[in-house]
Amino acid sequence: MAIPRLSLRRHLPQMPGHALRLRSWQILKPLTHAGLQPTSKAVYRRAPTRLLSRLWGVLTGLALPRWLRRPLLALYVWAFSVNMAEAAEEDLSSYRSLGELFRRPLKPWVRPIAPHEMVSPADGCIVHLGRVRRSRLEQVKGVTYSLESFLGPQDWREDGGRGLSPRWHRGHRLYQCVIYLAPGDYHRFHSPTNWHIQHRRHFPGSLMSVSPSVVRWIPGLFCHNERVVLSGEWAHGFFSLTAVGATNVGSIRIYCDQDLRTNCARHVQGCYHDCSYLAWAEPAGVPAPKGAGLGEFNLGSTIVLLFQGPRRFGFRASAGRRVRVGQALGSL
């Protein structure tokens, strides 16, 4: 059965645009009865988004009876204009839960990999890309945060007996690309280039929305949210891919790392957990060929690429543009 790709905005033109946005701070509406403003940054940052996201993860993992799968999942497909024609399994009744639909694999031929040195790791919208200047990363235009607050202490530059020492090429520039995955997007992410992953750093944290409107509203949001930093090397030095969690993201999964557990009640915010892959993937680390699957989200989130490259490296995309896995992102 073909599922029509309908648009809420198209069918409800009388509604204002802001009424259709899925603001994660809507969960705070009951606080208005206590005299609190739900749009207050302080209130929003203290909201129990981790707990709510864990509950959402439980709900999306519940097995649905077969008779309910098609009507319930079709509502989600309709609301977020999900293109089920690209899914490896188009029959909605084959998905046992809403979580399985979020993490759906695609037909292998619908995401060809471009021959450029770097391709998009995910389907989504490019929020920002360009050079990193004065060790400041750009969240959105005009909103920045420090490199160290995002990656943590850069002790992987020093071996220290742990094998955390990707090469940093002097004279090369540092580049950044931020891609936002909306709820209707394909939620798996892939390797953007040929590289080796040497280290994983997991930051427990908040799970605030990473929609562009909220990202503009809260400075340093990516440094507050739970995230998993994969770092290593590509042909031109340091390379990292960071999966940033968000509200209702029940988990971040890395396929090669079975020990990783995200959004757990036992995790303490404000700390981080390191894991060296060189202990079992000597000598260079875990190979990640361009286009290979790396991991997956539940619902929407953000991917941040941070890497060294020669001066001749150039992006082949621009901020505000939608990209899909495998499309050209940059080349030498």
Side-chain angles (χ1 to χ4, degrees):
M1 173 182 175
I3 303 298
R5 296 189 64 199
L6 304 177
S7 168
L8 284 172
R9 192 179 300 278
R10 186 188 315 147
H11 291 269
L12 300 172
Q14 72 278 13
M15 294 182 67
H18 63 79
L20 295 177
R21 296 186 192 126
L22 299 179
R23 304 277 192 180
S24 60
W25 59 68
Q26 288 175 346
I27 61 176
L28 299 177
K29 284 183 178 178
L31 294 178
T32 57
H33 298 293
L36 297 175
Q37 293 297 322
T39 54
S40 163
K41 294 181 185 180
V43 172
Y44 180 58
R45 287 177 60 175
R46 287 169 174 77
T49 52
R50 296 178 71 194
L51 174 60
L52 293 171
S53 296
R54 282 196 294 274
L55 294 175
W56 176 253
V58 172
L59 289 175
T60 59
L62 292 177
L64 300 172
R66 182 170 286 273
W67 63 268
L68 184 59
R69 294 176 189 176
R70 189 182 297 275
L72 183 61
L73 299 181
L75 180 62
Y76 181 86
V77 168
W78 173 77
F80 294 105
S81 297
V82 177
N83 186 359
M84 290 302 296
E86 295 181 336
E89 177 54 72
E90 298 184 41
D91 183 6
L92 291 179
S93 63
S94 298
Y95 293 94
R96 294 171 296 179
S97 66
L98 188 55
E100 283 194 2
L101 180 63
F102 293 155
R103 302 184 299 272
R104 65 193 178 278
L106 301 183
K107 298 180 176 74
W109 57 85
V110 299
R111 294 293 184 271
I113 306 301
H116 298 75
E117 281 80 8
M118 189 172 299
V119 299
S120 176
D123 287 11
C125 180
I126 298 176
V127 178
H128 171 76
L129 79 176
R131 285 184 57 191
V132 175
R133 301 177 186 275
R134 297 183 295 277
S135 296
R136 300 291 298 180
L137 305 180
E138 191 150 341
Q139 188 165 291
V140 291
K141 188 173 182 179
V143 180
T144 64
Y145 53 97
S146 72
L147 178 66
E148 185 163 349
S149 63
F150 182 67
L151 295 179
Q154 298 172 51
D155 50 10
W156 50 65
R157 294 191 185 191
E158 301 172 1
D159 191 1
R162 295 185 297 165
L164 309 180
S165 56
R167 293 169 298 143
W168 285 74
H169 288 187
R170 292 184 178 180
H172 281 197
R173 293 173 171 174
L174 196 59
Y175 299 91
Q176 177 193 15
C177 179
V178 181
I179 300 175
Y180 166 67
L181 290 71
D185 285 327
Y186 169 59
H187 293 102
R188 301 190 178 200
F189 49 93
H190 296 246
S191 177
T193 191
N194 296 315
W195 64 304
H196 285 82
I197 309 171
Q198 299 178 350
H199 178 244
R200 178 258 291 167
R201 176 168 285 172
H202 171 217
F203 291 85
S206 302
L207 285 170
M208 294 180 281
S209 171
V210 292
S211 67
S213 56
V214 180
V215 167
R216 294 187 191 97
W217 188 53
I218 300 182
L221 186 150
F222 293 159
C223 300
H224 297 296
N225 270 20
E226 182 156 14
R227 59 198 182 278
V228 176
V229 182
L230 301 178
S231 60
E233 295 181 2
W234 72 317
H236 308 286
F238 175 79
F239 193 95
S240 72
L241 180 150
T242 301
V244 182
T247 307
N248 293 338
V249 176
S251 65
I252 300 170
R253 181 185 173 195
I254 304 299
Y255 296 144
C256 69
D257 192 339
Q258 300 302 312
D259 294 329
L260 176 65
R261 298 289 184 274
T262 61
N263 195 18
C264 295
R266 59 184 172 83
H267 287 157
V268 178
Q269 298 187 53
C271 61
Y272 57 84
H273 309 283
D274 283 333
C275 175
S276 173
Y277 292 163
L278 294 180
W280 52 271
E282 300 271 1
V286 178
K290 184 174 66 175
L294 290 183
E296 61 191 42
F297 292 111
N298 281 330
L299 207 60
S301 198
T302 294
I303 293 289
V304 178
L305 301 180
L306 183 66
F307 57 93
Q308 280 193 300
R311 294 177 180 271
R312 65 182 183 276
F313 178 84
F315 284 107
R316 291 181 170 266
S318 57
R321 173 186 165 187
R322 284 198 56 82
V323 290
R324 304 202 302 178
V325 170
Q327 287 186 338
L329 200 60
S331 63
L332 301 179

